[in-house]
Amino acid sequence: MTQHNEIQPDESARPADEHKVTLRSPAELADALPYLLGFYPTDSVVMVALHGKHSRFGGRLRLGIPTDPREWPEVATELAECLVRGSEQRGGRPDSIVVFLCQDPVEGERPGRTMERLRPLAQGLRVACGALDVPVIEALCVSGGRWWSYTCSDAGCTCPPDGAEIGSSGSSVMAAAAAYAGIQVRGSLREMEARLTPPQTPPSTAQEEALDMAAADLVPRMLGKDEDAVETVRRETLALVESVLQRFREAPSEDDGPRGDAGDDALLDEAEAAAIILGLQDRVTRDHAAEWMEPPHTEPALRLWRALARRCVKPFQDHAAAPLTLAGWVAWSAGDEATARVAFGRALQLDPDYTFARLLHAALNAGVDPEPLRGCLRGLRRKRLGPTVACATAHRGPAGSAGRGPGRRSPGARRARIRR
């Protein structure tokens, strides 16, 4: 598989009387999907494990639908094995599985045609799960605000050929239960990823030039044999991050959406963004930056890491793995698993071998509590800075190279790989 999958923890550990909801039809399943994930999964395969005689929801898996149908048989096999084996590792083999294929029609295509085009993938997933002795009891296609069932075999079926309309958002029993439980749907996957991706138009030549100059200045110092120079870059980067975080704290976001993102972008100039992005390519610097995960840093840090990911324009797009992973870590630490999954997934799309993202994503998937890691980071910060300094908020201004224009561009600066 070329895209990173997502498995959510088994919910069987929750108290038996907590927010019980019974879904009785394919229509209710289609309506419940965004509440199961925390977002609307555009262009996605979603598989949900079911346990026991009451078909209790267990592990969940999401993967972007491969664009090449020739990959579908192999992907179906891997997804089925991943969900079943992962569920077994967390304590229970699924008794059955529900499959969702979510994709809006391409230009000029009717939703019904989208459903038929994806039918071989649905069939492949059913066969792959059956080969593991775990039946798919329902397979739904969700497209263009409508749903179809691939498992309906009733000759007298009255399902409309053009699919059934998904109910109005917020009107279902699942929506009511989610509101009561405080579960929030954070928009579509496409919208969430857009907040972590540089704008497509117009291209930011100013940001590219700033990244070029920062790379020419910082990369030789970070990769050189002079440890004092390396430590100096680390101190400069962290001091700059502290200064920018203070600026973000003093300018609360107008809203948690594109309008707020635009305001955050205005708080960060190109040179500052470039210096932080390059500095975070150093593993030690990035790990220290992960310490800003609790109040009063939580919201400003998440906003800053997202803003930096949006500044990683071509050809520096893979440099976004660091701020994306930091964004995922802060979101997970704050209890926002949906945002964390999207951020980790985006980081791994850009760099599948990025160890920090892989480890955190695996821990999230396994249902690990982030508190022990938070405690470890607190301890490391106290040891590094001292208990008084570790609890204080720095107010220093920009340091190092961010405020000056480094010299000539290094021809190899873009290609340099920083240790991480």
Side-chain angles (χ1 to χ4, degrees), residues 93-113:
R93 182 179 178 84
D95 293 293
S96 57
I97 290 173
V98 173
V99 170
F100 300 85
L101 299 183
C102 308
Q103 189 173 79
D104 287 333
V106 300
E107 186 175 356
E109 183 180 62
R110 294 179 59 84
R113 175 55 189 156

Side-chain angles (χ1 to χ4, degrees), residues 89-144:
Q89 291 171 5
R90 290 191 301 277
R93 182 179 178 84
D95 293 293
S96 57
I97 290 173
V98 173
V99 170
F100 300 85
L101 299 183
C102 308
Q103 189 173 79
D104 287 333
V106 300
E107 186 175 356
E109 183 180 62
R110 294 179 59 84
R113 175 55 189 156
T114 305
M115 181 272 293
E116 290 296 342
R117 178 167 51 77
L118 296 176
R119 186 181 292 275
L121 177 56
Q123 181 61 21
L125 290 165
R126 296 176 67 187
V127 170
C129 293
L132 298 174
D133 295 324
V134 183
V136 172
I137 62 169
E138 185 60 84
L140 299 179
C141 176
V142 178
S143 179

